[in-house]
Amino acid sequence: SWRLLPSDMPPWQTVYGWFAILRDSFVFEKISHALVMADREREGRQASPTAAIIDSQSVKTTESGGLSGFDAGKKVKGRKRHIVTDTLGLMLAVLVHSAAVQDRDGAPELLMVIRYRYPWLRHVFADAGYAGPKLRKALAGKGDWKLDIIRRTDNTTGFRVQPRRWVVERTFAWLGRCRRLAKDWERDTSSSAAWATIASIRLMTRRLATYCYVT
């Protein structure tokens, strides 16, 4: 896809080279972090969140190659985008791994990513895929985390909006508006995570720009 750049752009090797530099120096994450704090303050919240929601989304990969696996629950062969959002739906962090990795196994690494980025984060909401002692044991001694599992009730039939969990699902829908994320087109998972972060950055800059224009 890099070879399909508009003709008025530099050679694709130059464009990709700069993308790789920004990706590997974590510039996208730094921009996202600053925008999350600015957007939270715009909403009258504290800059650093204390509560978050975690979930994953399985997406198909392409012939580009790279890491891949099969998600038996979703019946998808590809990768998982594992994200944490605040209660407003702003993406705090993303980790991309094989779709074969269960949510409770991928969660510790993702939560460690944001442990120092958001030091006041204590309360994490999750679905039943994160339940059980395995995740709690993995998080023991790695921060003061309170994991709150939100389950569907036994008498629930059909679709029902679940408390808190709908926030992260809406964030996946927001990210899905970016056609680049329709599938995982990248060979490297670091590039996949970078494009998800870029999509989140675009969302927050538009929110902030609209607010500035109105006020």
Side-chain angles (χ1 to χ4, degrees):
S1 59
W2 290 100
R3 294 173 174 81
L4 301 178
L5 291 171
S7 58
D8 57 347
M9 295 287 287
W12 72 266
Q13 295 91 338
T14 303
V15 176
Y16 177 79
W18 278 105
F19 167 80
I21 290 173
L22 296 174
R23 177 199 63 198
D24 297 339
S25 56
F26 302 102
V27 170
F28 299 128
E29 287 79 3
K30 294 173 184 176
I31 294 173
S32 176
H33 184 228
L35 291 175
V36 165
M37 293 191 295
D39 204 2
R40 284 183 58 83
E41 289 180 334
R42 178 186 65 83
E43 292 279 355
R45 307 292 186 91
Q46 293 293 326
S48 186
T50 58
I53 307 98
I54 187 172
D55 203 357
S56 68
Q57 177 190 53
S58 296
V59 293
K60 295 180 180 179
T61 48
T62 65
E63 64 276 4
S64 298
L67 182 66
S68 181
F70 183 71
D71 182 348
K74 302 292 179 61
K75 308 299 182 185
V76 172
K77 182 179 180 180
R79 295 174 182 165
K80 277 186 180 179
R81 297 185 188 124
H82 217 148
I83 70 171
V84 177
T85 74
D86 70 354
T87 53
L88 297 175
L90 305 178
M91 193 176 78
L92 305 181
V94 58
L95 176 68
V96 178
H97 52 69
S98 167
V101 177
Q102 294 186 357
D103 289 350
R104 63 176 63 93
D105 295 326
E109 183 179 354
L110 176 59
L111 292 175
M112 289 305 101
V113 169
I114 61 174
R115 179 181 178 188
Y116 299 105
R117 194 180 301 174
Y118 300 99
W120 304 113
L121 185 59
R122 294 290 183 272
H123 203 118
V124 180
F125 296 95
D127 62 25
Y130 298 86
K134 186 175 183 179
L135 176 55
R136 297 182 188 277
K137 183 177 180 180
L139 294 176
K142 298 180 180 179
D144 186 15
W145 304 101
K146 181 180 179 182
L147 192 63
D148 190 355
I149 303 298
I150 301 175
R151 303 176 183 271
R152 288 170 56 95
T153 58
D154 294 336
N155 58 357
T156 299
T157 58
F159 174 77
R160 293 291 187 275
V161 175
Q162 301 297 314
R164 298 293 184 182
R165 283 168 50 185
W166 68 269
V167 174
V168 69
E169 297 294 346
R170 183 183 60 179
T171 302
F172 279 128
W174 286 342
L175 297 178
R177 295 175 183 175
C178 179
R179 287 184 295 173
R180 184 86 188 195
L181 302 182
K183 288 185 178 181
D184 193 323
W185 307 91
E186 307 302 320
R187 177 182 296 274
D188 298 323
T189 55
S190 59
S191 295
S192 302
W195 281 110
T197 304
I198 291 170
S200 180
I201 288 171
R202 184 178 67 171
L203 169 67
M204 289 185 286
T205 52
R206 287 182 174 181
R207 286 165 59 99
L208 290 166
T210 300
Y211 172 76
C212 292
Y213 176 78
V214 171
T215 55

